[in-house]
Amino acid sequence: MNRTRSGVPATYVLIHGAAADSWCWHLLAAELRDRGHDVVTVDLPCADESAGLPEYADAVVEAVGARTNLVVVAHSLGGFTAPLVCDRAPVRLLVMLQAMVPLPGETPGQWWAATGYDQARSEQDRRDGRAEDDLVTLFVRDLPPELAAEALSRQKAQASTPFTQPWPLPAWPDVPTKFLLSSGDRFFPADFMRRVVRERLHITPDEVPGDHLPMLGHPTELADRLEEYWTQQQQPSESPSPQRHQAPL
């Protein structure tokens, strides 16, 4: 079996957010493959109005196939899909990257009001002095200009269907979970996300630099952190991880 500097190779399953596709992962995927890992990226059926959260999970599970040593990494809206994958596949580690954290029965459309997002964003916009149409500052302020322009130009149509569907799990999956917070994100402000993670996952997030797309701005640092998590996950432990969730949120 091939081994990397972090031991046994992982299979990283990268789940993008709304109005996006697998392109957003290409720099991080290259970093992980260069380190000897397998990488699965999926293009979710974002534009398909007949597709919702179950179909998003279907697409990921189908792409994974019979692979093992799964580390699922979910970004933004992908936070609603990733736990569904964990409920159906032998996932060893879930990493939420600046991702929405759902509660049982909550729809993605309800998440914004339930978490107090609008107030947090309004306060962030006032601090930034951001113009309403300034998408660069909102989403990709940390990226080089050409990469930022390409990222914005690649936005996809996003169907409304998944935003209307209740998250179906009765509790967080029984899978070790980490949260990586992007400290410079203006779309999901850092203080807001720290609170959401504390209240809903009962853990303290780790932090990486970057905007809403840290996988484009800081792929090497992000790969380093993912390898660190994977190395820790392979080490035997005599006591249960404090970041393994067994009770309803």
Side-chain angles (χ1 to χ4, degrees):
M1 177 181 292
N2 292 330
R3 289 182 176 267
T4 69
R5 66 190 187 195
S6 57
V8 176
T11 297
Y12 287 97
V13 182
L14 309 181
I15 304 176
H16 64 75
D21 61 20
S22 59
W23 175 86
C24 69
W25 297 111
H26 73 282
L27 297 178
L28 176 61
E31 280 279 347
L32 294 171
R33 289 186 177 113
D34 284 348
R35 299 169 189 227
H37 300 288
D38 189 13
V39 179
V40 176
T41 58
V42 185
D43 289 320
L44 299 178
C46 290
D48 185 353
E49 286 290 352
S50 69
L53 297 177
E55 288 74 24
Y56 287 16
D58 288 344
V60 178
V61 171
E62 182 178 355
V64 168
R67 292 176 174 88
T68 58
N69 291 327
L70 304 180
V71 179
V72 171
V73 183
H75 178 248
S76 201
L77 178 62
F80 270 78
T81 299
L84 306 185
V85 175
C86 293
D87 197 48
R88 296 172 51 186
V91 176
R92 294 188 59 184
L93 178 66
L94 171 58
V95 181
M96 303 283 278
L97 175 63
Q98 206 62 351
M100 299 166 74
V101 181
L103 293 179
E106 182 178 69
T107 71
Q110 293 168 337
W111 182 88
W112 312 92
T115 57
Y117 172 79
D118 287 346
Q119 180 178 347
R121 256 290 306 284
S122 294
E123 292 172 354
Q124 184 69 54
D125 285 348
R126 284 197 297 271
R127 288 193 294 268
D128 298 339
R130 189 186 70 85
E132 188 173 346
D133 61 350
D134 182 3
L135 298 183
V136 171
T137 297
L138 186 60
F139 289 109
V140 292
R141 57 184 288 272
D142 190 51
L143 301 185
E146 290 186 3
L147 187 58
E150 183 172 5
L152 291 176
S153 73
R154 296 184 68 96
Q155 281 193 307
K156 308 297 181 184
Q158 173 61 54
S160 62
T161 301
F163 288 91
T164 68
Q165 296 181 328
W167 192 63
L169 296 184
W172 199 256
D174 187 20
V175 173
T177 301
K178 300 282 190 178
F179 197 102
L180 271 175
L181 186 150
S182 186
S183 59
D185 189 357
R186 305 290 175 85
F187 181 61
F188 284 171
D191 286 344
F192 163 75
M193 292 303 290
R194 291 186 190 104
R195 175 177 58 79
V196 169
V197 174
R198 182 178 65 250
E199 291 176 352
R200 295 189 167 209
L201 288 179
H202 313 296
I203 62 176
T204 299
D206 294 319
E207 301 195 17
V208 292
D211 50 35
H212 193 60
L213 298 172
M215 67 284 268
L216 290 175
H218 299 273
T220 301
E221 296 97 319
L222 188 50
D224 287 344
R225 187 60 67 96
L226 292 174
E227 281 214 296
E228 176 186 337
Y229 289 162
W230 176 237
T231 298
Q232 293 171 354
Q233 184 57 31
Q234 294 175 79
Q235 296 171 351
S237 174
E238 295 182 359
S239 59
S241 167
Q243 296 179 352
R244 179 182 287 270
H245 302 278
Q246 301 182 22
L249 294 173

